[in-house]
Amino acid sequence: MEIKERKKISFIYLSYDKKGKLSERRDGKRYYVSPYFLINNFNKYYLICGSDYQNYHYNFRIEYMKDIVITQYDIRDYRDIETLGENFDITKHINDHIYMFGGDVITAKIEILSDNAITFVIDWFGNNAKIYEDNNKIYANIKSNDNAFFFWALQYQEHIKVLSPENLVTKIVNTLEDSIKKYK
C-alpha cells in the first residue's frame, strides 16, 4: 500500500529495554521521515520510509510507533533514496528482505544437505533462489538481505551449508563458535 498523503510524519519509536519493558528509543527524541509504503511481513506491519539526512531507507514496525503526527512538509521522493530508487518494486523488496532487516542485498551460495531444505529455500526465497545440481550435490544461489540471510542460515544450519560469500561464512562460523563457548 503506498502512502497517499505525501506528507512527512514524525513519531516516537519504542523498543524493549534490558528489563523487557517497552521504552522510548533515543530518550523519546522524535523521528522525522518520509513515509512510502506499509507492508505486512509475517503478520507484522512495517512502514518503509526515508529521511532527508540519509540516502537509504528504513523499516519501522508500526506497533512500535507512537504519537504519530502528519506534518505540513512534503515527502522526499522515494526514487531519490539510493536503496529504493527509480525502479523500486515492493514485491522484490519484501523477497530480498525476508526479516525486514536493513543492509545490503547479497547473493549467497549454499549446499543443500537434506531434501527438506529444498522446501525451506523455496518457501523463504521463492524466485530469489536458483537451485541446481552439480557433481551429485544440490546447491542454491540465493539473493537476500545479508542480515536476514545470516539469521535464516543459522535457523536452518543443520540442513544447509553456506559456501559464500566468504565474509558471511566467517560470521556464521564465529557466531557458532561463540555459541558453543556459552554452553561449555
Side-chain angles (χ1 to χ4, degrees):
M1 160 182 239
E2 186 173 350
I3 308 296
K4 300 288 183 197
E5 287 286 320
R6 303 195 51 82
K7 297 292 182 187
K8 292 179 184 171
I9 64 169
S10 74
F11 56 89
I12 295 171
Y13 201 60
L14 307 173
S15 63
Y16 289 95
D17 65 17
K18 294 175 184 176
K19 296 179 180 179
K21 181 181 176 219
L22 203 54
S23 303
E24 295 176 352
R25 274 197 191 172
R26 300 185 333 169
D27 295 322
K29 184 177 177 190
R30 297 187 74 78
Y31 287 74
Y32 290 86
V33 300
S34 294
Y36 301 127
F37 302 94
L38 289 174
I39 62 166
N40 180 319
N41 190 5
F42 298 106
N43 295 318
K44 293 174 178 52
Y45 287 89
Y46 294 86
L47 172 69
I48 299 175
C49 56
S51 83
D52 290 340
Y53 308 106
Q54 302 292 332
N55 204 18
Y56 51 86
H57 71 279
Y58 299 94
N59 301 320
F60 289 103
R61 285 261 302 268
I62 297 294
E63 67 190 84
Y64 296 144
M65 298 167 64
K66 83 172 200 178
D67 298 331
I68 300 169
V69 174
I70 300 172
T71 73
Q72 64 193 24
Y73 304 106
D74 292 336
I75 65 169
R76 178 180 178 189
D77 193 305
Y78 73 85
R79 292 173 288 223
D80 295 336
I81 303 289
E82 185 176 316
T83 55
L84 298 177
E86 186 72 33
N87 298 317
F88 179 71
D89 179 332
I90 191 71
T91 302
K92 180 181 177 308
H93 179 79
I94 293 169
N95 288 339
D96 288 349
H97 297 82
I98 59 170
Y99 293 121
M100 294 308 297
F101 289 133
D104 296 328
V105 175
I106 61 163
T107 299
K109 180 179 179 181
I110 65 169
E111 180 180 351
I112 297 175
L113 304 175
S114 75
D115 292 340
N116 291 338
I118 295 171
T119 302
F120 303 148
V121 168
I122 293 170
D123 280 351
W124 281 95
F125 299 103
N127 291 334
N128 279 6
K130 304 300 180 215
I131 298 172
Y132 60 97
E133 187 173 355
D134 187 23
N135 291 328
N136 295 319
K137 292 185 178 182
I138 307 285
Y139 298 95
N141 291 330
I142 299 171
K143 185 178 174 193
S144 175
N145 167 277
D146 58 352
N147 292 318
F149 188 82
F150 167 75
F151 288 107
W152 180 88
L154 290 177
Q155 180 178 351
Y156 291 104
Q157 52 92 18
E158 73 180 272
H159 301 281
I160 60 120
K161 178 180 180 183
V162 178
L163 303 174
S164 69
E166 187 60 37
N167 64 330
L168 178 61
V169 172
T170 301
K171 183 177 177 181
I172 290 169
V173 168
N174 291 340
T175 299
L176 293 172
E177 286 174 348
D178 289 345
S179 293
I180 290 168
K181 288 176 190 173
K182 287 178 192 173
Y183 290 96
K184 284 191 172 187

